[in-house]
Amino acid sequence: MKTRITELLGIEHPIIQGGMHFVGFAELAAAVSNAGGLGIVTGLTQRTPELLANEIRRCREMTDRPFGVNLTFLPSVTSPDYPGYVRAIVEGGVKVVETAGNNPQQVLPHLHAAGIKVIHKCTSVRHALKAQSIGCDAVSVDGFECGGHPGEDDVPNFILLPRAADELDIPFVASGGMADGRSLVAALALGADGINMGTRFIATKEAPVHENVKKAIVAATELDTRLVMRPLRNTERVLRNAAADRLLEKEKALGANLRFEDIREEVAGVYPKIMQEGTMDAGVWSCGMVAGLIDDIPTVKELVDRIMAEANAIIRERLAGFVTA
Ligand SMILES: Cc1cc2nc3c(=O)[nH]c(=O)nc-3n(C[C@H](O)[C@H](O)[C@H](O)COP(=O)(O)O)c2cc1C
């Protein structure tokens, strides 16, 4: 399949694996790139730029295809060493960066000077247009159904994607709720140039996370996610568990008085315990509504091949069959 995204990134299939905290290690990114998509190493999961440089090296040893690095700009008090991370990315010869969170303007000149393509992930048309205006090469448009941070506008992809298509000139991929060939064809029909998947890629053989995480996704239905941290305007879609229930109780009890300190136990530093140790109630963790469409744990290549075969069949058979003239 050839789209503006496969052309821009030099990949075979228009499928990107979004950055995921304590999931996007070299093993997963390399598996996605080897399967013909674009794998992404999560920058900030590596505690220092030196560790990121090492992770980039490990990924390069596992694939000779293009892969990317995610740089998430957090609304945190103590800012990570972003210039150091950018240096690790540039010196590591990475050719694609997925930015997310705050405006990536500060790093754009450095990345572009090194010939790196920048895809900014955002949750509204307004932010997508801003990303286009500051020179991002593409955007990833994350609908309300997505795992992680869907923003505060709550616009699902059936509205958000055609709105983005109407407004944007640069290529964009559909993110949030994408799982199979049907998702890919629907995204293309709504004007996107490909898809970005998070949750679906966690439930694969190569995802370097505890089996309990994969089993929890397979067991979950589309009714099993919750939105937390809305009162802090830092909304996150997570899988419902004891920690999510406890957090929501605190939100209800404290109302407008809720502060980050009140929920620290449920959100801070919990990812290693969940993703690596498999302690599923240790805190809240991002998961998309798309869990309802996930019921197996294939290899990444099986998943990507299946998506492409299904998408081709839908386009050539089902859709072509509707056209009578
Ligand atoms: C466990 C998990 C961790 C994530 N961590 C990050 C992150 O650190 N940075 C980021 O930009 N996006 C992060 N995301 C969002 C994904 O990159 C992607 O945009 C999202 O999962 C798409 O929605 P989907 O899960 O419905 O496919 C995370 C998602 C999940 C499920």
Side-chain angles (χ1 to χ4, degrees), residues 215-227:
K215 285 186 190 147
I217 291 173
V218 169
T221 77
E222 65 277 20
L223 303 176
D224 293 330
T225 68
R226 293 291 180 271
L227 295 175

Side-chain angles (χ1 to χ4, degrees), residues 74-324:
L74 300 165
S76 69
V77 195
T78 49
S79 180
D81 177 10
Y82 287 115
Y85 284 104
V86 168
R87 219 173 303 123
I89 290 166
V90 170
E91 287 171 7
V94 171
K95 288 292 163 225
V96 185
V97 165
E98 176 195 52
T99 54
N102 292 342
N103 187 323
Q105 196 152 17
Q106 45 166 333
V107 298
L108 223 47
H110 306 289
L111 297 174
H112 276 160
I116 295 171
K117 304 281 184 234
V118 178
I119 308 172
H120 185 60
K121 190 160 58 190
C122 42
T123 57
S124 68
V125 173
R126 170 172 96 251
H127 292 141
L129 283 172
K130 178 76 191 171
Q132 174 174 280
S133 76
I134 63 173
C136 290
D137 302 280
V139 284
S140 192
V141 176
D142 240 338
F144 181 51
E145 49 282 75
C146 74
H149 293 269
E152 311 302 326
D153 290 348
D154 302 355
V155 182
N157 268 335
F158 245 88
I159 311 297
L160 190 57
L161 298 174
R163 280 284 299 119
D166 283 346
E167 301 268 351
L168 289 170
D169 297 320
I170 55 175
F172 72 99
V173 293
S175 180
M178 305 292 146
D180 53 31
R182 295 171 300 182
S183 323
L184 173 55
V185 176
L188 297 173
L190 294 172
D193 301 282
I195 58 174
N196 177 68
M197 302 196 298
T199 306
R200 174 64 269 197
F201 275 124
I202 305 178
T204 57
K205 293 224 161 59
E206 292 92 337
V209 300
H210 197 282
E211 280 303 307
N212 289 354
V213 181
K214 304 180 189 185
K215 285 186 190 147
I217 291 173
V218 169
T221 77
E222 65 277 20
L223 303 176
D224 293 330
T225 68
R226 293 291 180 271
L227 295 175
V228 299
M229 294 193 283
R230 177 131 276 185
L232 301 177
R233 290 190 66 75
N234 186 26
T235 301
E236 182 181 0
R237 185 180 295 285
V238 301
L239 192 71
R240 184 183 174 195
N241 62 7
D245 285 347
R246 206 163 57 232
L247 200 166
L248 288 170
E249 275 304 313
K250 289 183 188 177
E251 287 184 4
K252 209 158 120 196
L254 293 168
N257 296 324
L258 183 84
R259 287 160 314 132
F260 182 76
E261 292 314 313
D262 301 314
I263 58 167
R264 180 176 285 279
E265 184 193 338
E266 282 78 25
V267 301
V270 299
Y271 268 76
K273 295 180 201 149
I274 293 158
M275 296 298 173
Q276 294 174 334
E277 296 164 22
T279 313
M280 300 313 296
D281 286 331
V284 294
W285 58 282
S286 297
C287 179
M289 283 180 159
V290 72
L293 296 177
I294 300 171
D295 49 25
D296 63 353
I297 304 174
T299 66
V300 166
K301 180 160 168 44
E302 280 163 0
L303 175 64
V304 169
D305 285 350
R306 186 167 81 195
I307 293 173
M308 295 314 300
E310 194 187 358
N312 275 309
I314 293 171
I315 294 167
R316 287 182 207 277
E317 293 158 32
R318 183 173 157 78
L319 297 187
F322 292 137
V323 184
T324 53

